[in-house]
């Protein structure tokens, strides 16, 4: 019940967008008419009729469209709030799809099944991946990145490769040391033929390589989401797998502001005061950029000075938490990952402050690695909100998730690797496949280069990563700009899962 | 044992006796080393070239530390932070004044030297562990300043700024192959300077302070003055190393490292190579950097042997192997590789009489 | 005595917490003489040298050198005034060779600075090095330590190290030499060598030498005059013959009588 309420309540964000974009739709036919029962909510109904809880905006849109002509139908102002007794319009599956497709804030773009115009059997496409499987951060990122990539490539090759060409990946360990990222890159760029795409994961790699990939015209699919490195200069070759940190932060506070009435801690006032706890590095300080702070100010949210914790599993966040709460923070945002959000959660609970704040954080903070750091006490994370710009393992209605799950099971990897690293790697390869096919179709296999690959991506604009997330290379964008907010909730078995409490929404633009 | 020279070999002048390179085989060894490094783009792949480049500037930083810690006996945990100063200085000079590398690099070195002076001041009062703590302050203050002051120039919370490619007249050092020569020339110069320091008044005063500061003082060595000179030179070298690294990585800032770990690693290199020897920084720098790569390869090899534990092996092998080898070095070769080299040389020279 | 006073100690007192290391000690050192300070262990001999060289600052009294007050002069300025010293427990630079140890003592005579050091060939460092090297080689051959010229002193036997330390003091080209037990721990032959060097230096350079030594026979042989300290108090001063027969001295050395009389 609690789950349902919070889920519905928190979706109020969609109100404006959904109702606005669907208001004009009149020619809707209802396949069924449904009267809301106690304990009903929109996504539950959507699940029942379409087998897809995320299809609920179609029901809201259809109902509102009907209500315009027929006031026996309810008008849904807030998709999170439906009352028992309301009459809803459930359109047929085809209509629902049309409604969803026309929605700017609908579900993710699905992978296009672009067919190849040429066959290149016997040829080879090599991807270069550099990450740290050793070094201090390795325990967090682990081998999931590598395994996910390799398994996805295997799947592609099993299905005939990319336009017949076999895909290979060359992996190099960098321990996330900038010097090593550079040394490894030097090797990759000198390979024959020159690589058209590399996959990197550290902020350091994003930063040291940004000028080089621009000069060398090699696309860097990067997970170090350093905004300044990507947009300065603009239109570069670095493309990010998730929204830049300042966008994420701004989106989170926008969401908090829009939903404050329903998420605010008991006894909290109307004023939102956000405290950020981050690592003392570019990642940790990456959320609270000048642009993000200006945005916060523009929507009337107070952001306290950043509290820094050391990048260490033993760092104690007690001081920062107490400082923030003493300064009136009622939202705490974690710009760190794995053990640090875990200790912040556990410490806040131990201090008895959990009920006084809304606790959340950057996308990487809400991952298996955070739950893993809590170990047996993973349930403590219940209620934690995270920016979540991709689908997750639980979204089994998405075929790519099922494929990834099957590959993961087949690989026999440890549960610790069952996190975002494997999933995103698995999905990213699909985006590369699509863009490569488009580039090959357009410019020919032999002209597949970083230049043609990037322009193919720009052509596609939004490139779906297996339907799990999307690359946004439209109009000078280099990072996705949509997300969900998810919350850690305990499922029936008491296991923490990441449950979407909003639909996809556009993030504020805080590019430098 | 005492006189490690083949019998019958006498110098005919002091000048000759004081020369560094005294035998043909010295020349052969030195020229061969230079040749091997300088032709790396021909025989090695890009990884080798960038690694040699990395070794070159790392050795420069360790040479500086050697003058301070090895020769003068003043322990320092701030060398990486001083590199940060040099990197920023050269980057800013190049960015805002368009200074060519021959100007920005020495200027950056001088600026870093002056910053080093400031952090050398506590050395008058404190020694050993306490001095280490005082230099540790540099390792905290400098990165903090780069992050929190002059954000428009130093990058603020980005933790880094872009560094232009160095130019020298019409030459733009835009590839690792070209940059290698810049680093090697710089290393050659710092090596000559380090040798010159160690064989002159300055070096003797440094060692005097290290070995017996009371006697040094009584023989007219101004302790503070010379300790500060050592700090200055150490920071000067760090400045050169930092500038080279910044230009080769094309960005500078705390995001790229320059942390306490690196400062400690420099000390480790120095100890492994041999404190207070001119060969030490070379042997230590090369050994540690290559060892790190070996640890990686070896780790992947071991991981392949135990597929069931491969992820555990991959993530933990490198640091464990690396730490273990360092420990073994300290236990079995506490005087550093340079000392082992002296023994080998001695044995070779006394041949066939050595055992 | 008609010779001019070189070093003059007037009413010097020094205490460490409760212990009085020196109590109202006065004596003069005349130019060109060998003055020995003797006294039982802990008498305050080394403390006296430390006061003269600026390591300790006397609680009371003054020390003058050629009429200049040096009571509060810091150690690093002492060498420049022309005072050289050796230490009771050898204070060599163990990591340097014999040659470099002695070269290091030429520090104050060098003119070139840090930058010339780095440049070596240009700026005159090399020239100066060669010039000083000649002087140092003279000292090395005088002390007969050519064979250990390039040896690291840390590895040398005690006797040779004492000799190198003497060489280092000589290299300063001072006008006064303060030697703190230069012959302790040596065998007879080494002691004789050392005594010969001290006398040679004294004669050839007309060097003023202040010598602390426990070997009475030796002291009686080479000292012109002797100052005796006991528990920080000067109990006697005079020629070896006067000291030999001084009842105070004999009392202080009670039990060691034979030593002083032999
Ligand atoms: N730095 C110091 N701190 C405390 N006490 C000291 C110090 N230096 C000397 N003393 C004390 O002063 C007294 C004189 O010591 P000093 O070393 O001058 O004797 P000495 O005559 O040189 O003896 P020895 O023949 O053993 O060398 C001793 O009691 C000694 O313990
Ligand atoms: Mg004594």
């Amino acid at each position: 019940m609690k789950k349902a309420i919070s889920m519905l309540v928190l979706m109020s964000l969609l109100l404006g967008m959904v109702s606005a974009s669907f208001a004009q739709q009149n020619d809707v036919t209802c396949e069924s008419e449904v009267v809301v029962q106690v304990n009903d909510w929109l996504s539950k109904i959507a699940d029942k009729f379409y087998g897809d809880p995320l299809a609920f905006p179609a029901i809201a849109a259809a109902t509102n469209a009907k209500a315009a002509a027929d006031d026996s139908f309810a008008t849904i102002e807030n998709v999170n709030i439906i009352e028992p007794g309301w009459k809803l319009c459930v359109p047929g599956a085809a209509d629902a799809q049309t409604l969803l497709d026309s929605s700017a804030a609908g579900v993710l773009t699905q992978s296009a099944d672009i067919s190849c115009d040429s066959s290149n059997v016997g040829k080879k496409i090599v991807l270069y991946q550099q990450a740290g499987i050793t070094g201090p951060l390795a325990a967090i990122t682990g081998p999931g990145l590598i395994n996910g990539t390799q398994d996805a490539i295997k799947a592609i090759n099993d299905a005939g490769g990319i336009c017949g060409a076999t895909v290979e990946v060359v992996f190099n360990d960098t321990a996330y040391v900038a010097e090593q990222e550079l040394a490894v890159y030097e090797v990759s760029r000198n390979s024959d033929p020159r690589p058209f795409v590399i996959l990197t994961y550290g902020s350091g790699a994003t930063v040291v390589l940004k000028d080089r990939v621009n000069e060398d015209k090699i696309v860097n699919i990067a997970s170090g989401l350093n905004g300044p490195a990507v947009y300065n200069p603009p239109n570069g070759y670095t493309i990010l797998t998730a929204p830049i940190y300042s966008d994420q932060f701004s989106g989170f506070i926008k969401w908090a502001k829009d939903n404050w009435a329903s998420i605010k801690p008991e006894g909290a006032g109307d004023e939102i005061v956000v405290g950020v706890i981050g690592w003392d590095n570019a990642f940790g300080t990456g959320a609270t950029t000048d642009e993000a702070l200006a945005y916060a100010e523009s929507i009337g949210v107070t952001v306290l000075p950043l509290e820094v914790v050391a990048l260490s599993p033993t760092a104690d966040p007690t001081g920062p938490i107490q400082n923030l709460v003493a300064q009136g923070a009622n939202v705490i945002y974690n710009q760190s990952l794995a053990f640090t959000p875990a200790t912040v959660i556990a410490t806040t609970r131990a201090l008895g402050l959990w009920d006084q704040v809304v606790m959340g954080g950057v996308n990487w903070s809400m991952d298996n690695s955070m739950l893993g750091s809590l170990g047996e006490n993973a349930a403590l994370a219940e209620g934690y909100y995270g920016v979540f710009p991709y689908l997750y393992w639980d979204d089994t209605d998405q075929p790519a998730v099922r494929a990834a799950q099957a590959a993961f099971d087949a690989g026999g990897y440890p549960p610790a690797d069952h996190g975002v690293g494997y999933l995103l790697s698995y999905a990213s390869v699909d985006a590369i496949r699509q863009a490569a096919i488009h580039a090959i179709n357009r410019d020919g296999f032999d002209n597949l280069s970083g230049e043609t690959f990037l322009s193919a991506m720009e052509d596609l604009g939004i490139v779906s990563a297996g339907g799990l997330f999307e690359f946004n290379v439209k109009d000078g964008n280099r990072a996705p700009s949509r997300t969900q907010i998810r919350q850690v909730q305990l499922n029936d078995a008491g296991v923490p899962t990441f449950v979407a409490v909003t639909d996809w929404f556009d993030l504020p633009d805080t590019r430098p | 044992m005492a006189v490690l020279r083949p019998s019958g070999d006498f110098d005919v002048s002091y000048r000759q006796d004081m020369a560094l390179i005294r035998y043909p085989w010295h020349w052969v060894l030195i020229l061969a080393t230079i040749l091997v490094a300088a032709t790396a783009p021909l025989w090695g792949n890009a990884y080798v070239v960038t690694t040699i480049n990395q070794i070159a500037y790392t050795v420069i930083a360790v040479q500086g530390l050697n003058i301070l810690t090895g020769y003068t006996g003043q322990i320092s945990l701030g060398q990486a932070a001083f590199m940060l100063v040099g990197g920023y200085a050269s980057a800013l000079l190049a960015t805002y004044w368009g200074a060519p590398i021959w100007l920005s690099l020495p200027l950056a070195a001088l600026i870093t030297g002056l910053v080093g002076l400031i952090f050398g001041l506590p050395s008058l009062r404190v020694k050993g562990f306490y001095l280490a703590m005082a230099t540790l302050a540099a390792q905290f203050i400098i990165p903090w300043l780069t992050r929190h002051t002059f954000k428009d120039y130093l990058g603020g919370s980005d933790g880094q700024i872009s560094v232009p490619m160095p130019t020298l007249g019409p030459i733009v050092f835009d590839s690792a192959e070209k940059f290698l020569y810049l680093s090697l020339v710089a290393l050659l110069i710092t090596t000559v300077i380090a040798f010159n320091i160690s064989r002159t008044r300055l070096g003797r005063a440094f060692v005097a302070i290290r070995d017996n500061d009371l006697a040094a003082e009584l023989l007219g060595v101004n302790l503070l003055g010379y300790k500060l000179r050592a700090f200055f030179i150490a920071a000067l070298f760090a400045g050169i190393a930092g500038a080279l690294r910044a230009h080769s990585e094309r960005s500078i800032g705390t995001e790229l490292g320059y942390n306490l770990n690196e400062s400690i690693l420099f000390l480790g290199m120095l100890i492994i190579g041999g404190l207070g020897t001119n060969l030490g920084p070379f042997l230590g720098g090369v050994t540690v950097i290559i060892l790190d790569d070996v640890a990686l390869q070896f780790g992947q090899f071991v991981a392949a042997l135990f597929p069931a534990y491969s992820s555990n092996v991959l993530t933990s092998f490198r640091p464990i192997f690396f730490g273990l080898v360092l420990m073994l070095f300290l236990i079995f070769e506490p005087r550093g590789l340079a000392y082992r080299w002296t023994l080998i040389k001695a044995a070779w020279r006394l041949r066939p009489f050595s055992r | 005595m008609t010779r001019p006073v070189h070093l003059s100690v007037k009413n010097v007192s020094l205490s460490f917490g409760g212990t009085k290391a020196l109590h109202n000690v006065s004596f003069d050192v005349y130019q060109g003489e060998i003055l020995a300070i003797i006294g039982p262990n802990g008498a305050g001999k080394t403390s006296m040298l430390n006061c003269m060289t600026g390591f300790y600052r006397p609680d009371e009294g003054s020390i003058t050198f050629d009429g200049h007050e040096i009571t509060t002069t810091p150690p690093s300025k002492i060498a420049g005034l022309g005072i050289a010293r050796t230490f009771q427990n050898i204070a060599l630079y163990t990591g340097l060779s014999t040659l470099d140890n002695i070269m290091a003592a030429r520090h104050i005579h060098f003119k070139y600075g840090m930058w010339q050091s780095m440049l070596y060939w240009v700026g005159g460092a090399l020239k100066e090095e060669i010039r000083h090297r000649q002087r140092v080689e003279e000292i090395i051959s005088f002390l007969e330590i050519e064979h250990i010229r390039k040896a690291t002193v840390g590895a040398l036997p005690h006797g040779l190290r004492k000799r190198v330390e003497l060489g280092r003091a000589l290299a300063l080209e001072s006008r006064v030499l303060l030697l703190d037990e230069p012959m302790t721990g040596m065998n007879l032959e080494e002691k004789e060598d050392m005594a010969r060097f001290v006398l040679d230096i004294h004669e050839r350079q007309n060097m003023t030498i202040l010598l602390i030594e426990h070997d009475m026979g030796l002291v009686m042989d080479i000292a012109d005059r002797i100052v005796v300290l006991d528990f920080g108090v000067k109990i006697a001063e005079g020629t070896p013959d006067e000291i030999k027969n001084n009842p105070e001295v004999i009392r202080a050395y009670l039990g060691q009588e034979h030593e002083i009389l032999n």
Side-chain angles (χ1 to χ4, degrees):
Chain A
M1 181 61 201
K2 187 175 155 206
K3 230 194 300 183
I5 291 172
S6 49
M7 174 161 179
L8 291 178
V9 163
L10 291 171
M11 286 185 181
S12 61
L13 173 76
L14 290 171
L15 167 71
M17 283 181 279
V18 173
S19 49
S21 58
F22 293 121
Q24 300 84 359
Q25 309 268 339
N26 281 321
D27 50 345
V28 180
T29 47
C30 307
E31 194 176 74
S32 323
E33 287 171 8
V34 173
V35 176
V36 179
Q37 307 296 309
V38 177
N39 277 354
D40 261 352
W41 60 96
L42 274 180
S43 56
K44 189 172 163 186
I45 297 167
D47 195 23
K48 194 160 106 196
F49 282 90
Y50 309 122
D52 179 5
L54 292 178
F56 67 88
I59 301 173
T63 306
N64 283 334
K66 277 286 175 199
D70 174 357
D71 59 21
S72 72
F73 284 95
T75 302
I76 304 173
E77 288 183 351
N78 183 336
V79 287
N80 301 314
I81 301 168
I82 53 175
E83 302 281 345
W86 281 9
K87 192 165 85 172
L88 305 181
C89 167
V90 180
D95 283 348
Q97 192 57 52
T98 318
L99 283 171
L100 289 173
D101 286 349
S102 65
S103 156
V107 292
L108 287 168
T109 312
Q110 296 298 306
S111 294
D113 227 350
I114 315 175
S115 57
C116 288
D117 301 344
S118 62
S119 172
N120 303 281
V121 177
K123 294 187 179 161
K124 236 173 35 175
I125 288 178
V126 188
L127 313 180
Y128 293 83
Q129 185 183 31
Q130 53 189 79
I133 46 161
T134 60
L137 287 173
I140 303 164
T141 52
L145 301 172
I146 310 158
N147 294 334
T149 309
Q150 283 173 349
D151 291 349
I153 286 173
K154 188 170 172 296
I156 289 175
N157 286 337
D158 288 349
I162 294 178
C163 298
T166 318
V167 187
E168 281 175 17
V169 64
V170 174
F171 172 77
N172 280 297
D173 179 27
T174 64
Y176 295 121
V177 173
E179 283 173 315
Q180 203 63 22
E181 299 277 7
L182 194 60
V184 161
Y185 173 77
E186 282 294 333
V187 182
S188 307
R189 75 180 277 272
N190 280 295
S191 307
D192 187 36
R194 167 169 289 200
F196 66 94
V197 66
I198 58 170
L199 300 146
T200 68
Y201 300 87
S203 282
T206 308
V207 167
V208 265
L209 299 182
K210 71 150 184 171
D211 290 331
R212 288 172 210 262
V213 293
N214 289 348
E215 280 155 29
D216 295 340
K217 297 188 166 44
I218 296 174
V219 173
N220 178 11
I221 304 283
S223 293
L225 311 178
N226 185 306
V230 178
Y231 288 116
N232 176 27
N235 302 314
Y237 276 73
T238 307
I239 292 170
L240 304 183
T241 54
I244 60 173
Y245 297 128
S246 57
D247 280 6
Q248 291 195 27
F249 177 63
S250 308
F252 189 86
I253 57 176
K254 175 187 185 328
W255 162 79
K257 168 102 180 153
D258 292 345
N259 297 278
W260 190 240
S262 47
I263 62 168
K264 74 174 189 180
E266 217 161 299
D270 287 339
E271 202 203 336
I272 301 177
V273 182
V274 184
V276 183
I277 301 180
W279 280 340
D280 190 16
N281 59 15
F283 169 48
T285 55
T288 40
T289 61
D290 291 346
E291 290 81 8
L293 295 178
Y295 175 78
E297 204 183 329
S298 76
I299 62 166
V301 169
T302 309
V303 179
L304 299 172
L306 177 72
E307 289 284 341
V308 166
V309 287
L311 199 172
S312 153
T314 55
D316 181 6
T318 306
I321 295 168
Q322 285 176 332
N323 274 350
L324 291 175
V325 173
Q327 293 174 77
N330 44 30
V331 175
I332 290 183
Y333 186 84
N334 288 275
Q335 185 67 22
S336 60
L337 55 87
F339 42 78
T340 302
T343 41
V344 169
I345 288 168
T347 308
T348 309
R349 283 197 185 268
L351 292 170
L353 299 172
W354 185 258
D355 293 333
Q356 294 181 34
V357 293
V358 171
M359 180 71 74
V362 66
N363 70 310
W364 307 125
S365 75
M366 192 149 128
D367 182 34
N368 206 28
S369 60
M370 179 266 281
L371 298 177
S373 302
L374 283 170
E376 289 172 2
N377 305 317
L380 288 182
E382 186 185 10
Y384 185 94
Y385 296 104
V387 177
F388 219 85
Y390 32 71
L391 300 183
Y392 202 61
W393 294 100
D394 311 309
D395 301 306
T396 45
D397 50 321
Q398 179 58 244
V401 173
R402 292 198 297 271
Q405 183 67 58
F408 188 90
D409 293 341
Y413 308 121
D417 290 354
H418 199 242
V420 75
Y422 184 96
L423 203 58
L424 290 197
S425 290
Y426 195 92
S428 298
V429 174
D430 188 63
I432 293 173
R433 176 186 66 89
Q434 287 177 65
I437 292 174
H438 186 58
I440 293 167
N441 284 349
R442 208 184 49 182
D443 305 310
F445 185 90
D446 295 332
N447 290 322
L448 182 59
S449 67
E451 218 172 347
T452 58
F453 183 74
L454 179 66
S455 98
M457 283 189 100
E458 282 172 333
D459 245 14
L460 296 171
I462 304 276
V463 188
S464 168
L468 260 70
F469 68 98
E470 44 194 32
F471 288 97
N472 185 345
V473 201
K474 210 163 50 179
D475 309 327
N477 275 316
R478 286 296 178 265
S481 55
R482 297 202 299 163
T483 191
Q484 298 167 296
I485 302 290
R486 291 203 181 194
Q487 186 181 31
V488 180
Q489 295 179 4
L490 303 184
N491 67 12
D492 298 341
V495 177
T497 48
F498 303 145
V499 177
V501 293
T502 67
D503 199 351
W504 294 84
F505 64 97
D506 288 314
L507 293 167
D509 186 353
T510 59
R511 272 182 255 181
Chain B
M1 175 63 218
V3 186
L4 297 177
R5 315 218 17 213
S7 48
D9 179 3
F10 296 110
D11 292 315
V12 292
S13 76
Y14 294 138
R15 189 187 175 118
Q16 190 180 335
D17 186 54
M18 282 150 52
L20 285 177
I21 303 171
R22 310 233 311 252
Y23 306 107
W25 68 271
H26 278 170
W27 274 114
V28 171
L29 215 65
I30 290 166
L31 289 178
T33 310
I34 294 177
L35 203 71
V36 166
T39 55
L42 300 179
W43 56 265
N45 66 10
Y47 188 82
V48 172
V49 174
T50 32
T51 302
I52 292 180
N53 187 33
Q54 186 196 343
I55 288 175
Y57 62 69
T58 305
V59 169
I60 294 176
V62 180
Q63 280 175 333
L65 188 66
N66 187 30
I67 285 165
L68 182 59
T69 304
Y71 283 117
T72 320
Q74 310 297 303
I75 196 161
S76 166
L77 290 174
Q79 197 70 347
F82 293 130
M83 282 179 73
L84 197 58
V85 176
Y88 266 113
S90 187
L92 294 175
L93 286 169
T95 308
Y96 294 101
W97 286 3
I101 190 75
W102 62 264
L103 193 64
S104 73
L105 195 124
L107 276 179
L110 278 179
I111 292 168
T112 313
L114 294 177
V115 173
L117 273 185
I118 298 171
F119 287 97
L121 284 173
S123 64
L124 174 69
R125 293 258 159 181
V126 292
K127 290 184 191 176
F129 178 74
Y130 297 96
L131 183 60
M133 290 299 111
T135 57
L136 194 60
Q139 192 57 63
F140 283 101
I141 293 171
I142 293 172
W144 190 90
L145 288 176
T146 65
R147 207 179 264 283
H148 295 100
T149 59
F150 301 103
K151 293 187 180 186
D152 292 344
Y153 294 97
L154 305 182
S157 61
D158 292 353
Q160 59 92 28
I161 58 168
S162 304
V163 181
M165 282 179 280
T167 54
L168 194 67
I171 312 167
V172 180
F173 294 92
D174 55 359
S175 69
E177 289 82 6
K178 288 187 201 162
F179 204 91
L180 177 70
Y181 296 102
L182 199 60
S183 301
L184 287 180
V185 168
L187 177 60
L188 201 65
I189 293 173
T190 59
T191 305
V192 170
I193 290 178
F195 267 102
N196 284 346
I197 288 172
S198 71
R199 63 171 159 174
T200 52
R201 177 191 194 197
L202 193 58
R204 288 187 298 261
F206 287 159
V207 178
I209 292 172
R210 178 193 71 190
D211 284 352
N212 200 314
D213 53 352
L214 286 187
E217 211 180 355
L218 195 64
L219 290 169
V221 177
N222 177 337
L223 289 192
L224 179 64
Y226 275 84
K227 282 179 183 175
L228 287 184
R229 282 179 177 84
F231 270 95
F232 175 80
I233 295 169
L236 192 86
F237 277 47
I240 297 171
L244 286 172
R245 179 168 159 193
H247 285 288
S248 76
E249 286 178 358
R250 290 203 216 156
S251 41
I252 176 79
T254 48
E255 191 61 12
L256 304 165
Y258 304 95
N259 47 30
L260 182 58
N261 277 354
E262 287 186 19
S263 279
I264 292 173
L265 197 63
F266 290 145
L267 265 182
M269 290 178 183
L270 187 55
I271 292 168
I272 285 177
L275 278 160
T277 62
N278 282 318
L279 205 54
F282 281 91
L283 297 178
V286 171
T287 308
V288 170
I289 290 174
I290 290 181
L291 199 64
D292 196 30
D293 277 357
V294 170
L296 171 63
Q297 301 300 328
F298 199 42
Q300 285 171 351
F301 172 74
V302 174
L305 292 183
F306 304 100
Y309 302 100
S310 77
S311 64
N312 292 353
V313 172
L314 278 175
T315 49
S316 55
F317 187 87
R318 196 170 172 181
I320 292 176
F321 174 83
F322 193 58
L324 206 67
V325 172
L326 286 195
M327 252 168 55
L328 291 176
F329 254 111
L330 293 183
I331 294 169
F332 293 109
E333 204 72 65
R335 301 173 70 173
L337 288 170
Y339 179 69
R340 173 70 36 194
W341 169 244
T342 327
L343 295 186
I344 292 169
K345 260 193 327 192
W348 188 76
R349 275 177 181 172
L350 299 177
R351 227 175 25 150
F353 305 111
S354 64
R355 262 179 286 180
Chain C
M1 287 283 170
T2 48
R3 282 188 284 192
V5 174
H6 221 43
L7 255 173
S8 173
V9 177
K10 283 205 181 69
N11 308 324
V12 165
S13 297
L14 174 75
S15 55
F16 299 100
T19 46
K20 281 230 161 205
L22 294 169
H23 186 71
N24 205 18
V25 177
S26 304
F27 61 89
D28 290 333
V29 186
Y30 297 101
Q31 189 157 1
E33 75 169 340
I34 299 183
L35 176 78
I37 301 183
I38 63 169
N41 290 108
K45 305 180 295 290
T46 301
S47 298
M48 191 66 242
L49 285 204
N50 283 342
C51 286
M52 292 172 161
T53 49
F55 287 113
Y56 294 163
R57 188 170 292 187
D59 302 332
E60 280 165 47
S62 74
I63 301 168
T64 52
F65 179 60
D66 282 348
H68 299 290
E69 182 75 35
I70 59 164
T71 325
T72 57
T73 308
S76 58
K77 297 269 167 59
I78 292 295
L81 296 174
I83 301 175
R85 166 185 180 176
T86 67
F87 292 80
Q88 183 171 346
N89 26 3
I90 313 175
L92 286 170
Y93 311 133
T94 46
L96 288 179
S97 66
T98 300
L99 181 64
D100 283 337
N101 261 280
I102 302 176
M103 283 294 276
R106 304 286 301 173
H107 186 80
I108 56 167
H109 297 293
F110 278 95
K111 293 199 178 55
Y112 70 83
M114 182 175 78
W115 298 105
Q116 284 105 311
S117 259
M118 294 186 189
L119 296 174
Y120 193 66
W121 300 277
V122 274
L126 173 61
K127 249 194 212 147
E128 263 195 71
E129 287 284 325
I130 291 175
R131 211 172 61 232
H132 288 284
R133 172 77 185 268
Q134 273 158 352
R135 181 71 194 94
V136 166
E137 286 292 340
E138 284 166 29
I139 293 169
I140 287 177
S141 65
F142 167 70
L143 292 175
E144 297 160 15
I145 46 178
E146 295 97 331
H147 59 297
I148 53 163
R149 186 191 277 121
K150 296 263 169 111
T152 309
V153 298
L156 293 176
H158 181 81
L160 282 176
R161 273 196 268 174
K162 283 265 175 198
R163 220 188 271 188
V164 175
E165 204 188 6
L166 177 63
R168 203 177 59 175
L170 286 179
L172 264 181
E173 299 194 357
S174 61
R175 286 174 294 146
V176 178
L177 210 51
L178 313 177
L179 306 176
D180 197 346
E181 305 195 13
M183 293 146 202
T184 34
M186 289 185 163
N187 61 31
L188 190 63
E189 194 186 333
E190 287 173 329
K191 275 187 185 178
E192 279 170 357
D193 280 343
M194 192 53 112
R196 182 159 55 81
F197 293 135
V198 171
L199 287 171
D200 262 5
I201 296 161
H202 178 238
E203 275 160 26
R204 284 200 210 173
Q205 305 179 18
N206 192 27
M207 178 81 81
T208 309
I209 295 174
L210 195 159
L211 173 78
I212 296 176
E213 189 47 59
H214 278 295
D215 187 324
M216 287 308 149
L218 229 147
V219 169
M220 297 296 162
D221 280 351
I222 65 174
D224 295 325
R225 290 191 313 123
I226 297 174
V227 167
V228 189
L229 293 181
D230 189 25
F231 287 112
V233 179
K234 186 178 90 172
I235 55 170
E237 179 176 356
T239 62
D241 284 339
E242 288 166 5
I243 294 299
K244 247 184 237 176
N245 304 316
N246 186 313
E248 283 263 8
V249 178
I250 294 173
R251 203 175 308 134
Y253 276 88
L254 206 65
Q256 304 175 336
E257 243 171 301
H258 59 283
E259 200 183 323
I260 206 161
L261 298 175
N262 289 348

